[in-house]
Amino acid sequence: MWPFHQKETRSDSNINMVFNSMIDDTVIDAAKAMQIPTVKACVKFIAGIINSSPIKLFKLVDNTVEEVSDNRTNLLNDDTGDLLNAVQMKEVFIKDYLLKGNGYIFINRQGNKIESLHYVNSNNVTIINDVEPIFKRTEILINGKKYYDFDFIKLTQNSTNGVSGAGIINTSSEILKVVYDSLVYENALVKSGGAEKGFLKSTKVLTQDAKDKIKEAWRKMFTDTDDNVIVLDAGMEFQSASLSSTEMQLNENKVINSAEICKLFCVPPNVLAGTASVDEYNNFIKSTIIPIYSALVCELNKMLLLESEKDSYYFAFDPKELLKSDMEKLFNAYRVAINANFMQIDEVRYELDLKPLGFNRMKLNLADVLLDPVSGEIYTPNTGTKANINGRSEIDESRS
């Protein structure tokens, strides 16, 4: 603590000058942005949800969808062939997309086969665009070596060319700078002493030597020493100074700025805190997560599929993975699917990673009456009676 008289503003001014010199001309980059707690929490939260749903490859055959086991899904979900595994690769990939506006993954091809996937930090990427405004062409330089756009999985936002974009550190740098500078200012306040501010009142004039001794005793009181008691002479009194307007504003703005940063990521604060209702969480998934899924799946279909595959193959995320945390909702959804004959029991058990029972029959409700709209035949399973809308009827002899 630095003792000072409340009416003397010179020391306050000097401190503020030091603080202002520390925070002037701050340039926000990804590293500084990730030092802001709310930014880091939003990035990790979104990337975690993206990573929770595996990427699958499907094939459409005669209007029937089949899941395909392929090396490309293994690269996207497990072993990338790089030092980073799939979870780590997608986490930094999504972080670059959110903060910088562009994420890059290099596709290592050997002929038509994809051998490995490699994350590339966007700081190492230089984009050279053609001047043609309609039929756009571009080249990508990595440490001076030339590549083409089809060599990369690219995820961009606010982009006009499909290969480079702008993230929140570009589009919302001012709010990030305010929050970051507030952290720097608060840190400087702590380093200045960390004790309650105030001033000493004395009924007599003190010599400079006496002032220096009091200041030194006060300094020792708030350091890690055994000297933690100050004895004030007769006629001396300590009076606490109230927080300055700047300090009070910092405390009030912390909550406001945190909520504003959540808006940048389209993450409601109560979702981040885990207090959101089911409807609020579902709205967050629809407005924030699904658009990122859609953009990434579109890029995977464009870059990882052969031209001969694009008519029948497609990549997709499994949305059921997002519901596994809500088991009641998940089981109710499967119950409806079984009762409506959209799925069989063993298909549900397969989705839940359970051993099949070998039960391949479908459930029928005997109370239902079945109508053939073409022939006009009506069949009642409960009684085994067949009828026709024209009035004819007969008994199903095979029912017994």
Side-chain angles (χ1 to χ4, degrees), residues 150-198:
F150 52 79
D151 292 322
F152 295 87
I153 299 171
K154 306 170 294 297
L155 191 62
T156 62
Q157 58 175 320
N158 303 311
S159 177
T160 58
N161 55 21
V163 293
S164 62
I168 67 165
I169 61 176
N170 306 111
T171 60
S172 307
S173 60
E174 289 302 317
I175 179 63
L176 295 179
K177 181 179 177 180
V178 168
V179 179
Y180 180 80
D181 288 347
S182 298
L183 292 176
V184 173
Y185 186 86
E186 186 176 0
N187 183 50
L189 285 176
V190 174
K191 288 184 177 180
S192 68
E196 182 183 5
K197 289 184 178 181

Side-chain angles (χ1 to χ4, degrees), residues 242-301:
S242 60
L243 289 175
S244 67
S245 60
T246 302
E247 293 169 324
M248 293 178 64
Q249 208 169 24
L250 285 175
N251 292 331
E252 294 173 357
N253 286 345
K254 277 185 179 180
V255 177
I256 298 175
N257 289 336
S258 179
E260 292 300 314
I261 290 177
C262 285
K263 291 179 182 178
L264 300 180
F265 291 96
C266 297
V267 179
N270 52 349
V271 170
L272 198 61
T275 58
S277 65
V278 174
D279 290 338
E280 289 172 327
Y281 180 78
N282 288 340
N283 288 335
F284 159 70
I285 294 296
K286 293 176 183 178
S287 62
T288 304
I289 302 301
I290 297 300
I292 299 177
Y293 277 152
S294 301
L296 181 54
V297 164
C298 183
E299 181 68 11
L300 295 178
N301 290 333

